[in-house]
Structures are given as structure tokens and as C-alpha cells.
Amino acid sequence: MLLKYLRPTVVNYGMHRRNYSSAITAEGGKQFPLEGIRILDLTRIVAGPYCTMVLGDLGAEVYKIERPFEGDESRKWGPPFMRNSTDSVYFMAANRNKKSVCVNLKTGRDVIYELAKKCDVLVENYVPGKLDALGLGYDKLKKIAPSLVYCSITGFGSEGPYKTKPGYDVIAASMGGLLHITGSENGPPAKVGIAITDIATGLYAHGAILAALLQRHRTGRGQKIDVNLFSTQVACLINMASNYLNAGKEAKRWGTAHESIVPYEAFKTSTGYITLGCGSDAQFISLCRLLGMEELVQDERFVNNRTRVTHRKELIAILSDILQSKSSSEWMDVFESASFPVGPINSMKEVFEDRHVQAIGIVKTLPHPLAGEVKLVGPPVVYGEAKNEITSIPPQLGQHTDEVLRNLLGYGDTEMGRLRKAKIIQ
């Protein structure tokens, strides 16, 4: 676990809790890998909060700094909203395992300085230059907290002609080529149904932060990390980028189909759609056997993947006619023991009623002080010797301001009253 490698740096390099141990205690109980790591979270919307949420799942203590009386913009991204609450359901998706601390960044930078001294990592997603103007940029904070890992998540990075442009997921997906390759073959560009570029950026940032913490173990120094939506999206083009850069091949939209594998796409059934793929000739033979169409294997147009790609339209037409003859559930029964990957295209209702989803228990139900309960999709990664789980629901705005400033910074009633009177904190 990461903490094993960070433990020797506890005294000197910014880890502040005293009770450290390996991932497994003497009694055999699991520990969180990031137990003892403190995150100063100055992020909003999706990419940044998703990053810090993943770190929080791993046991880091995350202090979510929010604007007094306003909070993260995504709190207002509804309907739908939580019952008896002004918080959106959207906000619930990326803000668990955090403490909400309301500090005005324009007037409360001294509070942020004190928090930075106590934290290991700062994550922010403001337009480049914004925090510098407030005295909260990396050049300032590295003097105050030399061991701080400072991660900036932006739309386009800190260099280049677009560096001052604001960036949202769909803009990065547009400019980074994802919308060009997403959608039906002869239709207009289509947006992916979720903010996938934001999520990928948050995951890149989370991995970069862990790597920087490991490097700090060797050097004793923090550093600045730049992660941005646009670069992330270009990096995520993978084979499409390689096709263009190395073979001069322009990409196109294929719908659910695959450019280089046939069959590999969604097919209409009598009740909906299923998706199947045959990545090898053996899998195609298995498909034909289960369909009762063994003669297709002998057809010279379909004997291997190269010929199937060449004769894509003919094969897909044949398979489409067959697959429309039964319902999705009937086909899933037929393909129960299939060697090729296959699955129905599920609605949200069908996803969360799926027997596998229910069996692995990835959905967690936790008490909520206003709504009664909140259901959250938990971490998808399972560790053999460590915890990775939900320990607290997304916080109410300013819920932990007093707790953190009193317990972590030692502020008393007089100081808290002064800050609150000046509307520096909520």
C-alpha cells in the first residue's frame, strides 16, 4: 500500500496523524491506504471533485473548501434535488467522504495558508492565473508549505494559446476529437451520455497525485502538477490517434460498431438491443453455432476477421435479421455459456436491478439528515489488504467549518467570531 512507502516521511514531510500502521493491523483488520493524508480541495463541478472523492475513498481526509452561502456550483445543478434539501442529486455523485469548510478565498487567504501548512495535497480547478491573483498560486504556497503537492486541473493547461480559456467536458470532447468519432455512422456528432472527459481527467489527476507523494518520499519536496481536460481527451484517443499519426488515417463515426472487428456492435432484438463482439475467429464460430448458422463459418466472405471487415454490410444484415427474432432476455439465455462477450443495453432501472450489480453490492445506502437516506455507487476497485469505501455522505454546505478550523487550526471562539463577522467563513 502507498502508506507503507510514505511512513518514513511522517515527521518531516507533511503527514500529520500520529497513529500510523501498515495496511493490515496485528488483529488482521484492513486499514485505508491513504490514512493520514490530508487534501485541501479547492475544486468544483466534476473533474476535481471526482479526483478528490477517489482519494477520500482511499482514506485521505478531504477538506472541501466552498464559497460561503453559495458552495460548489453543482449543488444547484437540478432538478432533481435531494428530498427536503437544496442540494442537487448531481452533487451527491462526486462529493462523498469530504468535509465542507466554507472560506471566502478573496478575503480568507490567511486561513487557506494555515490549512496548506497542515495538508499534504492541494487540488484546484480554477482558470490559470485566478488563484495567483488571489495570492493562492503555487509560487506563493510552495514557500509557505514546501512539501505540498499542488495539483491544478484546468481546461487547457498552463501553457499554450488556449491556457486562459475556461473548459467544460463537452468543449474538451469537441476540440479533442471525441465528438468527431461518437455517433451513428451517417449521423451528426453525439455527446457521450456522461462527462467522461471530466472523469478521465479526475482519474489522471488522482494517479499523478499518488505518484507525486511517492516522489516526495524520496526528495522531501512537494511539486506542482498540471492536468487538463484537453490533453486528457487527446491522450484518450488511443488507437484513433495512432491510426492518424502513423498511417494518416482519418477517423469517422461508427455508432456502436468497431472499425477493425466484425461483428462488434449493438443489434436490435424484438424488445430492445444487445451488444456482442467476436474478437477472434473461434468466437465467431461459437456465435454461428449458437445461432444455428454454422454455414456462415464456411462462407468465404466470413472465414476470418479480415474478410468479415471487408464484407461487413452483408454479415451485419444477416445477423440483424436473426437477432430481431427473439427478445433481449431470450437471447441472453441462448448466449448464457457463450465464449464471446455479449450483453443487453440496459436502462438505469435495468442496470441497478441486474443480479450481478446486486450481488457485488456496489450500491450503498446511507442515512441522510434531511432526505432520510441517500444511495451512492461505491468505489469499483477492491483491495485485498486495504479499505476503499464510503465512510461519509456528501456534506451539507459549511457542515464542518467549525470542526476543522477549531480542531485542525486551533481557532478559538474569538477568532471564529471575527472571521464569521467579516463573512470570511460561514
Side-chain angles (χ1 to χ4, degrees):
M1 295 300 102
L2 175 63
L3 187 58
K4 174 182 177 182
Y5 300 100
L6 293 176
R7 284 169 60 203
T9 70
V10 167
V11 175
N12 296 321
Y13 305 139
M15 292 181 60
H16 305 281
R17 295 182 189 171
R18 294 184 178 182
N19 184 24
Y20 297 98
S21 65
S22 62
I24 299 294
T25 66
E27 294 77 23
K30 293 181 178 181
Q31 298 284 300
F32 287 99
L34 295 186
E35 179 76 22
I37 294 292
R38 290 179 179 147
I39 312 290
L40 187 56
D41 180 5
L42 275 61
T43 69
R44 311 96 62 217
I45 315 298
V46 180
Y50 197 88
C51 166
T52 55
M53 180 183 73
V54 174
L55 297 171
D57 290 346
L58 293 170
E61 186 155 303
V62 180
Y63 307 122
K64 183 176 178 67
I65 306 302
E66 301 191 72
R67 290 180 297 168
F69 311 105
E70 294 290 334
D72 185 324
E73 294 94 316
S74 69
R75 286 185 183 270
K76 300 178 178 63
W77 283 7
F81 291 93
M82 294 298 293
R83 187 161 55 91
N84 301 322
S85 172
T86 58
D87 284 337
S88 70
V89 170
Y90 197 115
F91 179 79
M92 298 293 114
N95 288 286
R96 63 175 177 255
N97 292 345
K98 301 178 184 181
K99 294 185 175 182
S100 175
V101 180
C102 284
V103 181
N104 187 321
L105 297 185
K106 294 180 179 179
T107 58
R109 64 183 180 186
D110 288 341
V111 177
I112 300 300
Y113 291 160
E114 293 304 310
L115 287 169
K117 293 176 185 177
K118 299 286 187 178
C119 289
D120 303 282
V121 178
L122 182 150
V123 189
E124 60 89 8
N125 63 346
Y126 286 83
V127 173
K130 177 69 172 180
L131 291 186
D132 293 290
L134 296 176
L136 297 173
Y138 178 66
D139 288 341
K140 179 68 175 180
L141 286 178
K142 72 178 180 181
K143 298 174 183 176
I144 295 171
S147 65
L148 187 69
V149 172
Y150 188 112
C151 180
S152 291
I153 301 175
T154 59
F156 296 91
S158 59
E159 298 180 354
Y162 301 155
K163 66 181 181 181
T164 60
K165 288 172 64 71
Y168 268 31
D169 172 272
V170 71
I171 305 304
S174 297
M175 298 177 67
L178 180 59
L179 266 65
H180 177 70
I181 58 175
T182 304
S184 59
E185 183 174 1
N186 298 310
K191 175 183 174 295
V192 178
I194 57 170
I196 194 67
T197 307
D198 273 341
I199 293 170
T201 303
L203 291 173
Y204 263 113
H206 132 265
I209 288 166
L210 296 184
L213 288 172
L214 283 173
Q215 184 169 356
R216 188 182 68 172
H217 167 69
R218 295 192 293 268
T219 67
R221 297 189 303 275
Q223 63 180 296
K224 187 169 189 281
I225 300 169
D226 279 305
V227 186
N228 72 83
L229 301 178
F230 189 45
S231 295
T232 294
Q233 182 52 69
V234 174
C236 287
L237 291 174
I238 55 169
N239 61 301
M240 293 299 180
S242 186
N243 286 349
Y244 175 75
L245 294 172
N246 298 292
K249 183 176 177 58
E250 180 57 79
K252 57 170 286 186
R253 289 184 284 281
W254 284 96
T256 60
H258 195 289
E259 180 178 22
S260 304
I261 305 173
V262 176
Y264 190 110
E265 60 184 85
F267 292 90
K268 185 173 178 56
T269 68
S270 64
T271 57
Y273 291 86
I274 62 171
T275 304
L276 61 83
C278 295
S280 69
D281 293 339
Q283 289 182 344
F284 180 67
I285 292 171
S286 175
L287 171 64
C288 293
R289 178 178 57 79
L290 291 172
L291 293 177
M293 295 291 290
E294 287 90 342
E295 64 271 20
L296 291 178
V297 176
Q298 307 302 322
D299 191 314
E300 63 180 10
R301 297 172 297 173
F302 313 135
V303 293
N304 57 49
N305 186 68
R306 180 187 291 271
T307 60
R308 291 194 294 274
V309 170
T310 301
H311 297 281
R312 174 193 301 269
K313 290 184 178 180
E314 299 100 304
L315 178 58
I316 297 306
I318 293 170
L319 296 179
S320 295
D321 285 343
I322 298 170
L323 291 167
Q324 288 187 66
S325 65
K326 297 180 185 293
S327 69
S328 296
S329 60
E330 287 174 323
W331 281 121
M332 292 311 299
D333 288 339
V334 171
F335 298 144
E336 178 68 28
S337 61
S339 62
F340 52 87
V342 58
I345 295 183
N346 286 334
S347 65
M348 292 300 102
K349 181 177 185 293
E350 290 166 331
V351 169
F352 292 109
E353 289 180 352
D354 184 277
R355 57 183 176 139
H356 188 83
V357 170
Q358 294 187 353
I360 62 177
I362 195 170
V363 177
K364 311 297 181 183
T365 302
L366 293 90
H368 188 282
L370 300 176
E373 65 179 31
V374 58
K375 293 183 179 181
L376 304 171
V377 178
V381 178
V382 178
Y383 290 79
E385 298 188 356
K387 290 183 179 180
N388 182 30
E389 61 189 44
I390 302 173
T391 58
S392 63
I393 65 171
Q396 297 176 67
L397 181 61
Q399 179 180 342
H400 304 94
T401 302
D402 283 19
E403 172 193 327
V404 172
L405 298 190
R406 289 180 187 276
N407 296 343
L408 189 63
L409 301 186
Y411 287 1
D413 290 342
T414 301
E415 182 65 8
M416 294 291 290
R418 181 188 71 80
L419 293 171
R420 191 159 275 120
K421 184 177 181 180
K423 296 184 178 180
I424 293 173
I425 66 171
Q426 176 188 345

